[in-house]
Amino acid sequence: MGTFGWISALKTKKFWVNLVHRSLAEFYGTCGFVFISVLSTSSHTGTDGPSPSSVVTVALSHGLGLMGMVAAFGHVSGGHFNPAVTLGAFISGRINWLTALCYVLVQIAGGICGCLIVLVLGNSYITTSIHTLGPNVSPGQGILVEMMLTAFFVTTIINCAMDKKSTSKWIAALCIGLALTAAILAGYWVIVT
């Protein structure tokens, strides 16, 4: 569709069925990813914060969990599972504003659902976060690191999974999972510095 060609599609039942189908994929994928992420983080966090070996475990859990969700649902919805990715897809013209809005809403709901499932399992991690800055890291430095790692991650997704020249969706899922793993490992500096 052209720049505004999707507007005429709003009148069709197929558009709405596809939007619901893709939104459900985003909800389920986000819920599954958040469930895996929170559960893995909570089981590897000590009272003194994360150790280097637990950060590797958590990074791999996040990366492999996301890789699985992207492989399973990427062909349905694009496998965003994160409002930052959806925003990047919208800004780069890969999705329209209505799809972006629906995705963000179901991603938030899916994230809440994933956390609630961990909470129902009796895990209290959700109420006691260890995500704090290290003693020598200012809030500005923490925000800058988060922005850079998010930009790296979103760029990887856009270029590997959303680019029409991308050759394999399986390789895209692998690249996305590895990019998240690398971002988490790199972000460990913010906690311990």
Side-chain angles (χ1 to χ4, degrees):
M1 286 183 226
T3 305
F4 296 103
W6 64 271
I7 293 174
S8 61
L10 289 174
K11 299 175 184 173
T12 67
K13 180 179 177 183
K14 182 179 180 181
F15 173 84
W16 293 104
V17 169
N18 285 338
L19 183 60
V20 168
H21 186 111
R22 292 180 312 206
S23 295
L24 287 173
E26 283 294 311
F27 173 84
Y28 186 76
T30 305
C31 179
F33 172 64
V34 169
F35 171 76
I36 290 167
S37 300
V38 172
L39 197 60
S40 70
T41 302
S42 63
S43 62
H44 290 286
T45 303
T47 56
D48 297 331
S51 68
S53 63
S54 68
V55 170
V56 171
T57 303
V58 167
L60 287 172
S61 298
H62 281 67
L64 294 173
L66 183 59
M67 184 174 70
M69 292 295 138
V70 169
F73 297 109
H75 68 285
V76 177
S77 66
H80 300 186
F81 313 133
N82 182 326
V85 175
T86 299
L87 179 62
F90 172 69
I91 290 170
S92 66
R94 304 296 200 288
I95 59 173
N96 62 57
W97 70 268
L98 182 60
T99 301
L101 178 63
C102 289
Y103 278 18
V104 168
L105 293 175
V106 298
Q107 289 161 355
I108 291 168
I112 291 169
C113 184
C115 286
L116 287 175
I117 293 169
V118 174
L119 196 58
V120 166
L121 293 174
N123 194 319
S124 63
Y125 168 74
I126 296 173
T127 59
T128 57
S129 176
I130 56 98
H131 293 65
T132 58
L133 297 174
N136 297 320
V137 178
S138 72
Q141 289 173 316
I143 290 170
L144 180 61
V145 168
E146 180 69 25
M147 286 173 48
M148 293 302 296
L149 294 175
T150 300
F152 161 70
F153 179 59
V154 171
T155 301
T156 300
I157 293 171
I158 288 172
N159 289 330
C160 291
M162 297 179 195
D163 191 338
K164 303 245 186 264
K165 297 175 189 171
S166 182
T167 57
S168 170
K169 297 304 175 189
W170 289 100
I171 292 175
L174 177 64
C175 291
I176 292 166
L178 290 174
L180 179 61
T181 301
I184 291 170
L185 291 172
Y188 180 63
W189 169 85
V190 174
I191 298 171
V192 297
T193 300

PDB file of all heavy atoms in Angstrom, residues 4 8 12 57 64 74 77 84 96 109 122 126 136 158 169 184 190-191:
ATOM      1  N   PHE A   4      -0.841   6.439   2.041  1.00  0.00           N
ATOM      2  CA  PHE A   4      -2.150   6.520   2.668  1.00  0.00           C
ATOM      3  C   PHE A   4      -3.107   5.438   2.159  1.00  0.00           C
ATOM      4  O   PHE A   4      -4.284   5.471   2.459  1.00  0.00           O
ATOM      5  CB  PHE A   4      -2.772   7.902   2.449  1.00  0.00           C
ATOM      6  CG  PHE A   4      -1.978   8.989   3.116  1.00  0.00           C
ATOM      7  CD1 PHE A   4      -1.143   9.810   2.389  1.00  0.00           C
ATOM      8  CD2 PHE A   4      -2.054   9.165   4.487  1.00  0.00           C
ATOM      9  CE1 PHE A   4      -0.399  10.807   3.008  1.00  0.00           C
ATOM     10  CE2 PHE A   4      -1.322  10.155   5.109  1.00  0.00           C
ATOM     11  CZ  PHE A   4      -0.492  10.982   4.375  1.00  0.00           C
ATOM     12  N   SER A   8      -7.915   3.248   3.059  1.00  0.00           N
ATOM     13  CA  SER A   8      -9.052   2.594   2.399  1.00  0.00           C
ATOM     14  C   SER A   8      -9.219   1.164   2.891  1.00  0.00           C
ATOM     15  O   SER A   8     -10.320   0.618   2.878  1.00  0.00           O
ATOM     16  CB  SER A   8      -8.893   2.630   0.881  1.00  0.00           C
ATOM     17  OG  SER A   8      -7.720   1.930   0.505  1.00  0.00           O
ATOM     18  N   THR A  12     -12.328  -2.655   5.242  1.00  0.00           N
ATOM     19  CA  THR A  12     -12.472  -4.082   4.952  1.00  0.00           C
ATOM     20  C   THR A  12     -12.381  -4.929   6.215  1.00  0.00           C
ATOM     21  O   THR A  12     -11.656  -4.608   7.160  1.00  0.00           O
ATOM     22  CB  THR A  12     -11.389  -4.556   3.969  1.00  0.00           C
ATOM     23  OG1 THR A  12     -10.107  -4.478   4.608  1.00  0.00           O
ATOM     24  CG2 THR A  12     -11.389  -3.726   2.694  1.00  0.00           C
ATOM     25  N   THR A  57      23.928 -15.778  32.414  1.00  0.00           N
ATOM     26  CA  THR A  57      22.744 -16.642  32.388  1.00  0.00           C
ATOM     27  C   THR A  57      21.495 -15.846  32.032  1.00  0.00           C
ATOM     28  O   THR A  57      20.685 -16.265  31.204  1.00  0.00           O
ATOM     29  CB  THR A  57      22.555 -17.341  33.758  1.00  0.00           C
ATOM     30  OG1 THR A  57      23.741 -18.072  34.060  1.00  0.00           O
ATOM     31  CG2 THR A  57      21.367 -18.265  33.740  1.00  0.00           C
ATOM     32  N   LEU A  64      17.804 -15.950  24.124  1.00  0.00           N
ATOM     33  CA  LEU A  64      17.219 -17.174  23.576  1.00  0.00           C
ATOM     34  C   LEU A  64      15.691 -17.135  23.633  1.00  0.00           C
ATOM     35  O   LEU A  64      15.017 -17.614  22.709  1.00  0.00           O
ATOM     36  CB  LEU A  64      17.750 -18.404  24.322  1.00  0.00           C
ATOM     37  CG  LEU A  64      19.237 -18.681  24.139  1.00  0.00           C
ATOM     38  CD1 LEU A  64      19.694 -19.805  25.062  1.00  0.00           C
ATOM     39  CD2 LEU A  64      19.558 -19.010  22.685  1.00  0.00           C
ATOM     40  N   GLY A  74       7.349 -13.966  14.393  1.00  0.00           N
ATOM     41  CA  GLY A  74       7.859 -12.913  13.526  1.00  0.00           C
ATOM     42  C   GLY A  74       7.158 -12.864  12.182  1.00  0.00           C
ATOM     43  O   GLY A  74       6.893 -11.792  11.645  1.00  0.00           O
ATOM     44  N   SER A  77       3.455 -11.098  12.997  1.00  0.00           N
ATOM     45  CA  SER A  77       3.330  -9.691  13.394  1.00  0.00           C
ATOM     46  C   SER A  77       4.586  -8.867  13.167  1.00  0.00           C
ATOM     47  O   SER A  77       4.562  -7.650  13.324  1.00  0.00           O
ATOM     48  CB  SER A  77       2.969  -9.621  14.881  1.00  0.00           C
ATOM     49  OG  SER A  77       4.046 -10.118  15.657  1.00  0.00           O
ATOM     50  N   ALA A  84       9.514   0.048  22.051  1.00  0.00           N
ATOM     51  CA  ALA A  84      10.615   0.762  21.390  1.00  0.00           C
ATOM     52  C   ALA A  84      10.811   0.252  19.967  1.00  0.00           C
ATOM     53  O   ALA A  84      11.069   1.029  19.043  1.00  0.00           O
ATOM     54  CB  ALA A  84      11.910   0.612  22.187  1.00  0.00           C
ATOM     55  N   ASN A  96       1.862   1.324  10.001  1.00  0.00           N
ATOM     56  CA  ASN A  96       1.076   2.556  10.106  1.00  0.00           C
ATOM     57  C   ASN A  96       0.782   2.863  11.582  1.00  0.00           C
ATOM     58  O   ASN A  96       1.037   2.045  12.465  1.00  0.00           O
ATOM     59  CB  ASN A  96      -0.214   2.442   9.277  1.00  0.00           C
ATOM     60  CG  ASN A  96      -1.119   1.337   9.765  1.00  0.00           C
ATOM     61  OD1 ASN A  96      -1.522   1.306  10.925  1.00  0.00           O
ATOM     62  ND2 ASN A  96      -1.448   0.407   8.877  1.00  0.00           N
ATOM     63  N   ALA A 109      -0.033  -4.836  27.753  1.00  0.00           N
ATOM     64  CA  ALA A 109      -0.896  -5.846  28.389  1.00  0.00           C
ATOM     65  C   ALA A 109      -0.180  -7.183  28.486  1.00  0.00           C
ATOM     66  O   ALA A 109      -0.255  -7.871  29.515  1.00  0.00           O
ATOM     67  CB  ALA A 109      -2.208  -5.988  27.611  1.00  0.00           C
ATOM     68  N   GLY A 122       4.402 -17.340  42.786  1.00  0.00           N
ATOM     69  CA  GLY A 122       4.954 -17.122  44.127  1.00  0.00           C
ATOM     70  C   GLY A 122       6.303 -16.455  44.112  1.00  0.00           C
ATOM     71  O   GLY A 122       7.032 -16.492  45.097  1.00  0.00           O
ATOM     72  N   ILE A 126       9.287  -9.373  41.481  1.00  0.00           N
ATOM     73  CA  ILE A 126       8.652  -8.231  40.829  1.00  0.00           C
ATOM     74  C   ILE A 126       8.546  -7.043  41.778  1.00  0.00           C
ATOM     75  O   ILE A 126       8.630  -5.905  41.362  1.00  0.00           O
ATOM     76  CB  ILE A 126       7.272  -8.625  40.281  1.00  0.00           C
ATOM     77  CG1 ILE A 126       7.450  -9.674  39.195  1.00  0.00           C
ATOM     78  CG2 ILE A 126       6.519  -7.434  39.743  1.00  0.00           C
ATOM     79  CD1 ILE A 126       6.178 -10.275  38.696  1.00  0.00           C
ATOM     80  N   ASN A 136      29.135   4.577  40.823  1.00  0.00           N
ATOM     81  CA  ASN A 136      29.874   5.567  40.045  1.00  0.00           C
ATOM     82  C   ASN A 136      29.199   5.928  38.725  1.00  0.00           C
ATOM     83  O   ASN A 136      29.838   6.488  37.841  1.00  0.00           O
ATOM     84  CB  ASN A 136      31.295   5.064  39.771  1.00  0.00           C
ATOM     85  CG  ASN A 136      32.074   4.872  41.054  1.00  0.00           C
ATOM     86  OD1 ASN A 136      31.964   5.679  41.970  1.00  0.00           O
ATOM     87  ND2 ASN A 136      32.815   3.792  41.142  1.00  0.00           N
ATOM     88  N   ILE A 158      15.223  -3.864  12.847  1.00  0.00           N
ATOM     89  CA  ILE A 158      14.742  -3.250  11.603  1.00  0.00           C
ATOM     90  C   ILE A 158      15.544  -3.753  10.406  1.00  0.00           C
ATOM     91  O   ILE A 158      14.973  -4.097   9.371  1.00  0.00           O
ATOM     92  CB  ILE A 158      14.777  -1.712  11.708  1.00  0.00           C
ATOM     93  CG1 ILE A 158      13.669  -1.250  12.664  1.00  0.00           C
ATOM     94  CG2 ILE A 158      14.611  -1.063  10.339  1.00  0.00           C
ATOM     95  CD1 ILE A 158      13.706   0.218  12.996  1.00  0.00           C
ATOM     96  N   LYS A 169      14.394 -15.352   7.715  1.00  0.00           N
ATOM     97  CA  LYS A 169      13.774 -14.949   8.977  1.00  0.00           C
ATOM     98  C   LYS A 169      14.381 -15.714  10.151  1.00  0.00           C
ATOM     99  O   LYS A 169      14.382 -15.235  11.273  1.00  0.00           O
ATOM    100  CB  LYS A 169      12.258 -15.145   8.922  1.00  0.00           C
ATOM    101  CG  LYS A 169      11.584 -14.281   7.861  1.00  0.00           C
ATOM    102  CD  LYS A 169      11.893 -12.801   8.042  1.00  0.00           C
ATOM    103  CE  LYS A 169      11.318 -11.972   6.927  1.00  0.00           C
ATOM    104  NZ  LYS A 169      11.743 -10.603   6.941  1.00  0.00           N
ATOM    105  N   ILE A 184      22.459  -6.768  26.943  1.00  0.00           N
ATOM    106  CA  ILE A 184      22.376  -7.030  28.388  1.00  0.00           C
ATOM    107  C   ILE A 184      23.772  -7.197  28.976  1.00  0.00           C
ATOM    108  O   ILE A 184      24.084  -6.653  30.047  1.00  0.00           O
ATOM    109  CB  ILE A 184      21.496  -8.257  28.676  1.00  0.00           C
ATOM    110  CG1 ILE A 184      20.044  -7.928  28.336  1.00  0.00           C
ATOM    111  CG2 ILE A 184      21.626  -8.692  30.139  1.00  0.00           C
ATOM    112  CD1 ILE A 184      19.124  -9.128  28.348  1.00  0.00           C
ATOM    113  N   VAL A 190      26.667  -0.764  33.787  1.00  0.00           N
ATOM    114  CA  VAL A 190      25.901   0.262  34.468  1.00  0.00           C
ATOM    115  C   VAL A 190      25.592  -0.141  35.906  1.00  0.00           C
ATOM    116  O   VAL A 190      25.485   0.699  36.788  1.00  0.00           O
ATOM    117  CB  VAL A 190      24.580   0.545  33.694  1.00  0.00           C
ATOM    118  CG1 VAL A 190      23.696   1.499  34.435  1.00  0.00           C
ATOM    119  CG2 VAL A 190      24.898   1.071  32.315  1.00  0.00           C
ATOM    120  N   ILE A 191      25.508  -1.446  36.167  1.00  0.00           N
ATOM    121  CA  ILE A 191      25.174  -1.925  37.509  1.00  0.00           C
ATOM    122  C   ILE A 191      26.403  -1.953  38.415  1.00  0.00           C
ATOM    123  O   ILE A 191      26.324  -1.626  39.586  1.00  0.00           O
ATOM    124  CB  ILE A 191      24.548  -3.337  37.434  1.00  0.00           C
ATOM    125  CG1 ILE A 191      23.243  -3.296  36.639  1.00  0.00           C
ATOM    126  CG2 ILE A 191      24.310  -3.906  38.829  1.00  0.00           C
ATOM    127  CD1 ILE A 191      22.688  -4.666  36.337  1.00  0.00           C
TER     128      ILE A 191
END
